Amino acid sequence: EVNSAEQTDNSQRTQTEEQVAENVSPEADAGDDKNAEVKTEVELDGDKSSDEDGQIVSYKWEQTDGPEVDLKQSDEKVATFNVPESAADSKLTFKLTVTDDKDASNSDDVTVEVEEVTENSDSTDSSDSTDSSDTSDNSDTNNNGKGKGKPN
């Protein structure tokens, strides 16, 4: 009796394993979260997605959160979009869904954090700092150079 019970256990076990082994779902990888600036092009790269026992036959990128962007090539492995000014200082979330040749699918999210637009700081910072530091630096070095250079 004990033997027969064990045998049924074993056969059931192997059956379920075989069913599971029929198709391994693909692994979606939407890439690392990234930072972006407005008016730049961002690539969403699903290249790390894989399917152990087959191949991925379709990629689908969709935006799930944040100000709307125009997603190009959303059915390709790599999708791109230009960051609109309306998306400044916000987070854009995208979902990649991959489907393998046996119609199993898997999805992964990626977040793109768009930096705040600082209209004035860029231009004023660079001009201020260069102007003031350059002029003082130059006069310092000239004076020092003259003073030290003459006696030698």
Side-chain angles (χ1 to χ4, degrees), residues 64-103:
T64 55
D65 199 20
E68 195 175 332
V69 302
D70 179 20
L71 204 51
K72 301 184 190 76
Q73 294 165 307
S74 57
D75 55 356
E76 304 281 335
K77 189 183 289 186
V78 179
T80 61
F81 66 92
N82 290 313
V83 183
E85 287 187 58
S86 57
D89 195 23
S90 64
K91 284 185 181 166
L92 309 171
T93 309
F94 299 90
K95 182 167 85 167
L96 168 64
T97 303
V98 296
T99 307
D100 71 7
D101 47 4
K102 303 206 179 60
D103 216 31

Short mmCIF file of all heavy atoms in Angstrom, two decimals, residues 64-103:
data_model
loop_
_atom_site.label_atom_id
_atom_site.label_comp_id
_atom_site.label_asym_id
_atom_site.label_seq_id
_atom_site.Cartn_x
_atom_site.Cartn_y
_atom_site.Cartn_z
N THR A 64 2.31 55.18 -18.22
CA THR A 64 1.30 54.92 -17.20
C THR A 64 1.14 56.08 -16.23
O THR A 64 0.18 56.12 -15.47
CB THR A 64 1.66 53.66 -16.39
OG1 THR A 64 2.98 53.82 -15.85
CG2 THR A 64 1.63 52.43 -17.27
N ASP A 65 2.07 57.04 -16.24
CA ASP A 65 1.96 58.13 -15.28
C ASP A 65 2.74 59.34 -15.77
O ASP A 65 3.70 59.20 -16.52
CB ASP A 65 2.50 57.67 -13.92
CG ASP A 65 1.99 58.57 -12.78
OD1 ASP A 65 0.98 59.26 -12.99
OD2 ASP A 65 2.62 58.58 -11.71
N GLY A 66 2.32 60.53 -15.32
CA GLY A 66 3.04 61.76 -15.65
C GLY A 66 2.42 62.49 -16.82
O GLY A 66 1.53 61.97 -17.49
N PRO A 67 2.89 63.72 -17.08
CA PRO A 67 2.39 64.49 -18.22
C PRO A 67 2.64 63.73 -19.51
O PRO A 67 3.68 63.10 -19.66
CB PRO A 67 3.25 65.77 -18.18
CG PRO A 67 3.77 65.84 -16.79
CD PRO A 67 3.89 64.44 -16.30
N GLU A 68 1.68 63.81 -20.40
CA GLU A 68 1.74 62.95 -21.59
C GLU A 68 2.88 63.33 -22.51
O GLU A 68 3.15 64.50 -22.76
CB GLU A 68 0.42 63.06 -22.34
CG GLU A 68 0.25 61.96 -23.35
CD GLU A 68 -1.11 62.00 -24.01
OE1 GLU A 68 -2.06 62.48 -23.37
OE2 GLU A 68 -1.20 61.58 -25.17
N VAL A 69 3.57 62.32 -23.02
CA VAL A 69 4.61 62.55 -24.02
C VAL A 69 4.25 61.78 -25.27
O VAL A 69 3.41 60.89 -25.25
CB VAL A 69 6.00 62.10 -23.50
CG1 VAL A 69 6.37 62.84 -22.23
CG2 VAL A 69 6.05 60.60 -23.30
N ASP A 70 4.92 62.13 -26.35
CA ASP A 70 4.67 61.46 -27.63
C ASP A 70 5.67 60.32 -27.77
O ASP A 70 6.84 60.54 -28.08
CB ASP A 70 4.84 62.49 -28.76
CG ASP A 70 4.62 61.84 -30.10
OD1 ASP A 70 3.99 60.77 -30.15
OD2 ASP A 70 5.09 62.40 -31.11
N LEU A 71 5.21 59.12 -27.50
CA LEU A 71 6.08 57.95 -27.49
C LEU A 71 6.24 57.43 -28.91
O LEU A 71 5.26 57.08 -29.56
CB LEU A 71 5.45 56.90 -26.58
CG LEU A 71 6.34 55.84 -25.95
CD1 LEU A 71 7.53 56.49 -25.25
CD2 LEU A 71 5.53 55.05 -24.94
N LYS A 72 7.49 57.41 -29.40
CA LYS A 72 7.74 56.93 -30.76
C LYS A 72 8.25 55.49 -30.69
O LYS A 72 8.96 55.13 -29.77
CB LYS A 72 8.78 57.80 -31.45
CG LYS A 72 8.38 59.26 -31.55
CD LYS A 72 9.42 60.04 -32.34
CE LYS A 72 9.17 61.53 -32.25
NZ LYS A 72 9.57 62.11 -30.95
N GLN A 73 7.92 54.72 -31.71
CA GLN A 73 8.36 53.31 -31.81
C GLN A 73 7.97 52.53 -30.56
O GLN A 73 8.77 51.77 -30.01
CB GLN A 73 9.88 53.24 -31.99
CG GLN A 73 10.33 53.82 -33.31
CD GLN A 73 11.81 54.08 -33.30
OE1 GLN A 73 12.32 54.75 -32.41
NE2 GLN A 73 12.51 53.55 -34.28
N SER A 74 6.74 52.76 -30.09
CA SER A 74 6.33 52.13 -28.83
C SER A 74 6.16 50.62 -28.97
O SER A 74 5.99 49.93 -27.99
CB SER A 74 5.04 52.76 -28.34
OG SER A 74 4.05 52.62 -29.32
N ASP A 75 6.23 50.11 -30.22
CA ASP A 75 6.14 48.66 -30.37
C ASP A 75 7.49 48.06 -30.78
O ASP A 75 7.56 46.97 -31.32
CB ASP A 75 5.06 48.29 -31.39
CG ASP A 75 5.27 48.98 -32.73
OD1 ASP A 75 6.21 49.80 -32.82
OD2 ASP A 75 4.52 48.70 -33.67
N GLU A 76 8.56 48.81 -30.52
CA GLU A 76 9.90 48.31 -30.81
C GLU A 76 10.61 48.03 -29.49
O GLU A 76 10.16 48.42 -28.42
CB GLU A 76 10.72 49.38 -31.57
CG GLU A 76 10.08 49.86 -32.84
CD GLU A 76 10.27 48.88 -33.99
OE1 GLU A 76 11.26 48.13 -33.95
OE2 GLU A 76 9.42 48.87 -34.90
N LYS A 77 11.76 47.37 -29.62
CA LYS A 77 12.55 47.07 -28.42
C LYS A 77 12.98 48.37 -27.73
O LYS A 77 13.02 48.46 -26.51
CB LYS A 77 13.78 46.25 -28.82
CG LYS A 77 14.55 45.69 -27.66
CD LYS A 77 15.79 44.95 -28.12
CE LYS A 77 15.46 43.65 -28.80
NZ LYS A 77 16.68 42.86 -29.12
N VAL A 78 13.34 49.36 -28.53
CA VAL A 78 13.77 50.65 -27.98
C VAL A 78 12.79 51.72 -28.45
O VAL A 78 12.64 51.95 -29.65
CB VAL A 78 15.20 51.01 -28.45
CG1 VAL A 78 15.61 52.35 -27.89
CG2 VAL A 78 16.18 49.92 -28.02
N ALA A 79 12.13 52.37 -27.49
CA ALA A 79 11.22 53.46 -27.82
C ALA A 79 11.89 54.77 -27.44
O ALA A 79 12.78 54.81 -26.59
CB ALA A 79 9.90 53.30 -27.06
N THR A 80 11.48 55.86 -28.07
CA THR A 80 12.05 57.16 -27.74
C THR A 80 10.94 58.18 -27.59
O THR A 80 9.83 58.01 -28.11
CB THR A 80 13.01 57.67 -28.84
OG1 THR A 80 12.27 57.80 -30.05
CG2 THR A 80 14.17 56.71 -29.06
N PHE A 81 11.24 59.23 -26.86
CA PHE A 81 10.32 60.36 -26.80
C PHE A 81 11.11 61.62 -26.48
O PHE A 81 12.20 61.56 -25.91
CB PHE A 81 9.22 60.14 -25.75
CG PHE A 81 9.71 60.10 -24.33
CD1 PHE A 81 9.75 61.26 -23.56
CD2 PHE A 81 10.11 58.90 -23.76
CE1 PHE A 81 10.19 61.23 -22.25
CE2 PHE A 81 10.55 58.85 -22.45
CZ PHE A 81 10.60 60.02 -21.69
N ASN A 82 10.55 62.76 -26.90
CA ASN A 82 11.15 64.04 -26.54
C ASN A 82 10.43 64.56 -25.31
O ASN A 82 9.21 64.49 -25.23
CB ASN A 82 11.02 65.04 -27.69
CG ASN A 82 11.93 64.66 -28.84
OD1 ASN A 82 13.10 64.36 -28.64
ND2 ASN A 82 11.39 64.66 -30.05
N VAL A 83 11.20 65.06 -24.36
CA VAL A 83 10.60 65.53 -23.12
C VAL A 83 9.99 66.91 -23.37
O VAL A 83 10.72 67.85 -23.70
CB VAL A 83 11.67 65.63 -22.01
CG1 VAL A 83 11.03 66.06 -20.71
CG2 VAL A 83 12.38 64.28 -21.84
N PRO A 84 8.68 67.05 -23.23
CA PRO A 84 8.06 68.36 -23.45
C PRO A 84 8.29 69.27 -22.24
O PRO A 84 8.53 68.79 -21.13
CB PRO A 84 6.59 68.03 -23.62
CG PRO A 84 6.39 66.80 -22.81
CD PRO A 84 7.68 66.03 -22.86
N GLU A 85 8.19 70.57 -22.47
CA GLU A 85 8.38 71.50 -21.35
C GLU A 85 7.31 71.28 -20.28
O GLU A 85 7.54 71.50 -19.10
CB GLU A 85 8.33 72.95 -21.86
CG GLU A 85 9.58 73.33 -22.62
CD GLU A 85 9.60 74.81 -22.97
OE1 GLU A 85 9.53 75.63 -22.04
OE2 GLU A 85 9.69 75.13 -24.16
N SER A 86 6.16 70.79 -20.72
CA SER A 86 5.07 70.57 -19.75
C SER A 86 5.43 69.50 -18.73
O SER A 86 4.79 69.38 -17.70
CB SER A 86 3.81 70.18 -20.50
OG SER A 86 4.06 69.03 -21.28
N ALA A 87 6.46 68.71 -19.03
CA ALA A 87 6.81 67.61 -18.13
C ALA A 87 7.89 68.00 -17.13
O ALA A 87 8.36 67.16 -16.38
CB ALA A 87 7.29 66.41 -18.95
N ALA A 88 8.29 69.27 -17.12
CA ALA A 88 9.36 69.69 -16.22
C ALA A 88 8.99 69.38 -14.77
O ALA A 88 7.83 69.52 -14.37
CB ALA A 88 9.62 71.18 -16.38
N ASP A 89 9.98 68.98 -14.01
CA ASP A 89 9.81 68.74 -12.57
C ASP A 89 8.71 67.73 -12.30
O ASP A 89 7.89 67.91 -11.42
CB ASP A 89 9.53 70.07 -11.85
CG ASP A 89 9.71 69.92 -10.35
OD1 ASP A 89 10.44 69.00 -9.95
OD2 ASP A 89 9.11 70.69 -9.59
N SER A 90 8.70 66.64 -13.06
CA SER A 90 7.69 65.62 -12.81
C SER A 90 8.30 64.26 -13.11
O SER A 90 9.40 64.16 -13.64
CB SER A 90 6.47 65.84 -13.70
OG SER A 90 6.84 65.68 -15.05
N LYS A 91 7.56 63.23 -12.76
CA LYS A 91 8.03 61.88 -13.03
C LYS A 91 7.15 61.27 -14.10
O LYS A 91 5.93 61.35 -14.04
CB LYS A 91 7.94 61.02 -11.77
CG LYS A 91 9.04 61.33 -10.80
CD LYS A 91 8.98 60.37 -9.60
CE LYS A 91 10.09 60.71 -8.62
NZ LYS A 91 9.91 60.07 -7.33
N LEU A 92 7.80 60.66 -15.09
CA LEU A 92 7.08 59.95 -16.14
C LEU A 92 7.31 58.46 -15.92
O LEU A 92 8.45 58.03 -15.76
CB LEU A 92 7.62 60.35 -17.52
CG LEU A 92 7.73 61.85 -17.78
CD1 LEU A 92 8.47 62.11 -19.08
CD2 LEU A 92 6.35 62.47 -17.84
N THR A 93 6.24 57.70 -15.92
CA THR A 93 6.39 56.26 -15.73
C THR A 93 5.94 55.54 -16.99
O THR A 93 4.90 55.87 -17.56
CB THR A 93 5.56 55.78 -14.53
OG1 THR A 93 5.87 56.59 -13.41
CG2 THR A 93 5.89 54.33 -14.19
N PHE A 94 6.73 54.58 -17.40
CA PHE A 94 6.42 53.81 -18.60
C PHE A 94 6.43 52.33 -18.26
O PHE A 94 7.18 51.88 -17.41
CB PHE A 94 7.45 54.09 -19.70
CG PHE A 94 7.48 55.52 -20.10
CD1 PHE A 94 8.33 56.41 -19.45
CD2 PHE A 94 6.65 56.01 -21.10
CE1 PHE A 94 8.34 57.75 -19.80
CE2 PHE A 94 6.66 57.35 -21.45
CZ PHE A 94 7.51 58.22 -20.80
N LYS A 95 5.57 51.61 -18.94
CA LYS A 95 5.50 50.17 -18.72
C LYS A 95 5.86 49.47 -20.01
O LYS A 95 5.34 49.79 -21.07
CB LYS A 95 4.10 49.77 -18.27
CG LYS A 95 3.98 48.27 -17.99
CD LYS A 95 2.69 47.95 -17.24
CE LYS A 95 1.56 47.77 -18.22
NZ LYS A 95 0.37 47.17 -17.61
N LEU A 96 6.78 48.52 -19.89
CA LEU A 96 7.14 47.69 -21.03
C LEU A 96 6.49 46.33 -20.85
O LEU A 96 6.66 45.69 -19.81
CB LEU A 96 8.66 47.52 -21.10
CG LEU A 96 9.15 46.44 -22.07
CD1 LEU A 96 8.79 46.80 -23.50
CD2 LEU A 96 10.64 46.23 -21.93
N THR A 97 5.73 45.89 -21.83
CA THR A 97 5.16 44.54 -21.81
C THR A 97 5.79 43.76 -22.95
O THR A 97 5.76 44.21 -24.09
CB THR A 97 3.63 44.59 -21.98
OG1 THR A 97 3.08 45.41 -20.96
CG2 THR A 97 3.05 43.19 -21.87
N VAL A 98 6.38 42.62 -22.62
CA VAL A 98 6.96 41.77 -23.66
C VAL A 98 6.14 40.49 -23.75
O VAL A 98 5.62 40.00 -22.75
CB VAL A 98 8.43 41.43 -23.37
CG1 VAL A 98 9.28 42.69 -23.40
CG2 VAL A 98 8.60 40.72 -22.05
N THR A 99 6.00 39.98 -24.96
CA THR A 99 5.26 38.74 -25.19
C THR A 99 6.16 37.77 -25.94
O THR A 99 6.84 38.19 -26.89
CB THR A 99 3.99 39.03 -26.01
OG1 THR A 99 3.26 40.05 -25.37
CG2 THR A 99 3.13 37.79 -26.12
N ASP A 100 6.17 36.51 -25.51
CA ASP A 100 7.06 35.56 -26.18
C ASP A 100 6.30 34.77 -27.25
O ASP A 100 5.11 34.98 -27.48
CB ASP A 100 7.76 34.63 -25.18
CG ASP A 100 6.82 33.62 -24.56
OD1 ASP A 100 5.65 33.53 -24.97
OD2 ASP A 100 7.25 32.91 -23.64
N ASP A 101 7.02 33.85 -27.89
CA ASP A 101 6.44 33.16 -29.05
C ASP A 101 5.35 32.17 -28.64
O ASP A 101 4.70 31.58 -29.49
CB ASP A 101 7.53 32.45 -29.86
CG ASP A 101 8.49 31.66 -28.97
OD1 ASP A 101 8.26 31.60 -27.75
OD2 ASP A 101 9.47 31.12 -29.49
N LYS A 102 5.15 31.96 -27.34
CA LYS A 102 4.04 31.11 -26.90
C LYS A 102 2.95 31.94 -26.23
O LYS A 102 2.14 31.44 -25.47
CB LYS A 102 4.54 30.02 -25.97
CG LYS A 102 5.63 29.18 -26.62
CD LYS A 102 5.68 27.78 -26.03
CE LYS A 102 6.74 26.93 -26.69
NZ LYS A 102 8.10 27.51 -26.55
N ASP A 103 3.00 33.24 -26.47
CA ASP A 103 1.95 34.13 -26.02
C ASP A 103 1.91 34.35 -24.50
O ASP A 103 0.89 34.71 -23.95
CB ASP A 103 0.58 33.61 -26.49
CG ASP A 103 -0.32 34.78 -26.84
OD1 ASP A 103 0.22 35.80 -27.28
OD2 ASP A 103 -1.54 34.67 -26.65
#
